[in-house]
Amino acid sequence: MSETTVYISECLQIDWIPLHQGTAAFKISVTSSPSVEEAEKIHVIMRTWCENTKERFVFDIEHVKDAPEIKVQMPILVFSATKLFENKKIIQSRCLGTCIKGQVLDDHTKFCRDMFLSLYNPTRPFLLTDSSTEQSKFVDKCTRSSNN
């Protein structure tokens, strides 16, 4: 499958980016915290792509702008955890890992990570970082290790 881009809103873009053989990045670029409605659109797109490709993938979520500061709300954490549970079969068979890159790892961001992880226990590697280098290394490691 070739690279595909979908614009959900001016604050949210999704890319399906082929990487190493048989793998891809499901890249979600945000400039503000998505609403539950936007998160539902992300879920529909993810399901559609998974139904139309056999590639294994990494969730690669990135806050791509310095401002405004993203303050994730509890409803989006609950929604995300619920959708991951609903798609457990896809996650276990196709997802290689999840990387979330923020601009800064402040107390709010770490609190949201901890709240999310209390709702959902990832079965694949998970990284929260503020480093582009760590982000790239994580995605590369996840996708390259899937071919071994």
Side-chain angles (χ1 to χ4, degrees):
M1 184 174 213
S2 62
E3 183 169 333
T4 305
T5 300
V6 176
Y7 298 94
I8 301 292
S9 69
E10 64 183 41
C11 302
L12 182 61
Q13 172 183 324
I14 302 173
D15 296 283
W16 181 266
I17 305 168
L19 298 171
H20 310 292
Q21 185 172 357
T23 65
F26 187 84
K27 176 85 174 175
I28 303 170
S29 303
V30 298
T31 59
S32 66
S33 183
S35 66
V36 172
E37 293 79 20
E38 290 170 325
E40 179 61 42
K41 290 177 184 178
I42 293 169
H43 172 252
V44 169
I45 291 166
M46 190 257 327
R47 290 280 309 174
T48 301
W49 279 339
C50 286
E51 290 168 0
N52 291 300
T53 181
K54 299 293 182 207
E55 293 170 310
R56 298 182 76 197
F57 61 90
V58 174
F59 283 117
D60 187 13
I61 304 160
E62 182 174 3
H63 179 198
V64 294
K65 203 172 186 182
D66 290 332
E69 182 178 351
I70 291 181
K71 293 294 185 191
V72 177
Q73 303 297 316
M74 190 61 159
I76 198 71
L77 296 175
V78 172
F79 177 87
S80 299
T82 301
K83 290 304 178 185
L84 289 168
F85 278 122
E86 287 176 9
N87 293 285
K88 185 177 183 178
K89 193 172 192 172
I90 291 172
I91 300 302
Q92 288 181 334
S93 65
R94 307 263 306 277
C95 182
L96 301 167
T98 300
C99 180
I100 300 173
K101 185 201 169 281
Q103 293 296 319
V104 294
L105 295 184
D106 59 11
D107 289 339
H108 178 79
T109 303
K110 292 174 185 175
F111 175 78
C112 288
R113 174 202 56 205
D114 295 344
M115 285 299 296
F116 177 75
L117 293 175
S118 74
L119 297 168
Y120 182 77
N121 185 20
T123 58
R124 301 288 181 235
F126 178 88
L127 175 69
L128 174 67
T129 185
D130 59 357
S131 165
S132 295
T133 301
E134 281 186 40
Q135 175 190 27
S136 295
K137 285 181 180 179
F138 179 85
V139 170
D140 188 62
K141 181 179 178 182
C142 287
T143 57
R144 287 192 187 276
S145 66
S146 77
N147 292 320
N148 294 332

